[in-house]
Amino acid sequence: MAKAKLTFKDINLTVSAPVGVRVIEISEKVGSGIIYGCREGDCGTCLMEVEEGWNNLTEPSVVEHKVLRENNAGRHQRLACQAQVLGDATVRPV
């Protein structure tokens, strides 16, 4: 299985993550401060800033786009419950 480096800036930790895993799954395991309320992409609590590797995450779905707009998310913000790792990325909670 392919792996990528996922860095959580809030806890200064880089881990090897399987490609295709959602950021929230790794965040939970390592104790990052990315919080969540659902896992379905419709509440917006797991909003994160992608500092590096924006293109190394899956494209936002229609549902994620809607929630990002409703939450006035910035250009490099994503939902950790929706973004899947495709390559190296650096993220932090908003």
Side-chain angles (χ1 to χ4, degrees):
M1 175 176 277
K3 300 276 188 172
K5 291 179 185 173
L6 185 58
T7 301
F8 294 91
K9 290 292 273 196
D10 63 320
I11 58 173
N12 197 29
L13 179 68
T14 300
V15 297
S16 180
V19 168
V21 70
R22 292 177 190 224
V23 173
I24 197 67
E25 295 174 40
I26 303 299
S27 174
E28 286 177 308
K29 289 180 182 177
V30 302
S32 172
I34 298 173
I35 59 170
Y36 64 96
C38 68
R39 289 183 158 261
E40 300 298 321
D42 61 3
C43 73
T45 58
C46 65
L47 194 63
M48 65 179 180
E49 183 80 22
V50 182
E51 291 188 357
E52 293 179 35
W54 174 260
N55 295 327
N56 290 332
L57 300 174
T58 52
E59 291 291 321
S61 67
V62 171
V63 171
E64 184 179 2
H65 270 299
K66 177 182 175 282
V67 174
L68 292 171
R69 276 193 313 275
E70 289 171 353
N71 286 280
N72 296 314
R75 179 182 166 151
H76 292 286
Q77 293 179 339
R78 294 287 308 273
L79 299 179
C81 72
Q82 297 297 298
Q84 295 176 340
V85 177
L86 300 176
D88 298 353
T90 300
V91 300
R92 66 173 172 80
V94 172

